[in-house]
Amino acid sequence: MKGITIRTLQEAKRESRRFCCVTAYDASFARVAAQAGIETILVGDSLGMVLQGHTSTLPVTVEEMAYHTRCVASAAAPALVIGDMPFMSYATPEQALRNAATLMQAGAQVVKLEGGEWLAETVRLLAERGIPVCAHLGLTPQSVNSFGGFVVQGRDPAAARRIAEDSRALAEAGAALLVLECVPRALAAEITASVRVPVIGIGAGAATDAQVLVMHDMLGMNPRPPRFVQNFLSEGRDIAGAFAAYAAAVRDGSFPRPEHGFD
Ligand code: KIV
C-alpha cells in the first residue's frame, strides 16, 4: 500500500473524505493501527500521562519523544507519523528547529506544536526547512496550568474569535495540519470550512475533516474517560477490530455523535 503523506490528507479534505488518527507509542500498537487502516499515528506527549503516570504532559522530554517516535516509525507504514514537540521544546524558533529536527530524524514525518498566532514565525521557519507542522489549538494540554484545568476552550465570543483567527494565521504561515481540541462544535465547523488545511478534531464535533483519540481512551483503559471518548474495544472486539471499528465510524460519520461534543 502507498504511504500516506500530507498530500494524501489534503486531497482527502478536498474530496470531503474523512480520515482518522490515533495515538501510539510503540511498534506493536502502531503496526496494528496502521494495518487496520488508520491513516495517521500521533506519537503524543500524552504518553506522559498514559505511559508514565504523570498528571499532565509537562514532564515529557525531547529524548523520550524521540525514543517513542523511533519505536512507532519502525512499524507504522503506510500510516503518516506525527511526532509531538513536548513542553518548552519550541519556546523560541531556533529551539523549535533543533528539536523538530531530532523528531524528524527519529522518524516523524510531521511535528505537532501547541499554540496560537505567536507560533506563526516558528511554523514558517520549520515549513521552509522541510518540516511539516501540525498546529494544535483550543485545549492545549501543555497550558493546563494557565487554563486552570482540562477545560473546554472558546466558549465565549472573544475566545472563539481568537481561536479562529489563530487557526487561520497558522494555516497561512504554512501549517500542514491543524488539531482542534475541546472547542464548541460550531466553532470547529466554522474553522474547518475556512481553512484549506485538514483539521483533526478531538472533542470538537463531527464537522472536522478527521478525528483523533488517545489509544488508551478508545481501548477503554481510562477509568474516567472524557465525554468525547468512545470505547471501541467493547462488544467483544480484539484490538485490531477496535481500531478498524473506530476508523469505519469516523469515515461513515457515526463517530463522534452529538453527545461527544460541546456547545
Ligand atoms: O498528546 C496527545 O495525545 C495529543 C492528542 C490529545 C491530540 O495531543
Side-chain angles (χ1 to χ4, degrees), residues 23 25 42 44-46 84 112 114 136 141 179 181 202 212 214:
T23 68
Y25 316 98
L42 169 65
D45 63 353
S46 49
D84 225 351
K112 180 166 81 59
E114 299 181 5
H136 183 160
V179 165
E181 177 165 356
I202 173 165
V212 57
V214 169

Side-chain angles (χ1 to χ4, degrees), residues 6-19 39 198 209:
I6 56 171
R7 287 183 57 182
T8 320
L9 305 181
Q10 287 160 355
E11 204 173 281
K13 174 165 181 134
R14 279 197 302 277
E15 294 172 1
S16 303
R17 276 185 287 111
R18 276 186 285 259
F19 61 91
E39 290 91 343
D209 303 302

Side-chain angles (χ1 to χ4, degrees), residues 207-229:
T208 54
D209 303 302
Q211 297 291 326
V212 57
L213 284 176
V214 169
M215 180 184 77
H216 293 63
D217 288 347
M218 51 85 64
L219 295 180
M221 295 172 71
N222 185 342
R224 284 189 304 279
R227 148 186 183 160
F228 52 80
V229 165

Side-chain angles (χ1 to χ4, degrees), residues 115 136-141 143 147 151-154 163 167 179-183 187:
H136 183 160
L137 302 104
L139 170 51
T140 45
S143 300
F147 295 149
V151 285
V152 177
Q153 300 295 304
I163 294 171
S167 301
V179 165
L180 286 179
E181 177 165 356
C182 289
V183 298
L187 175 61

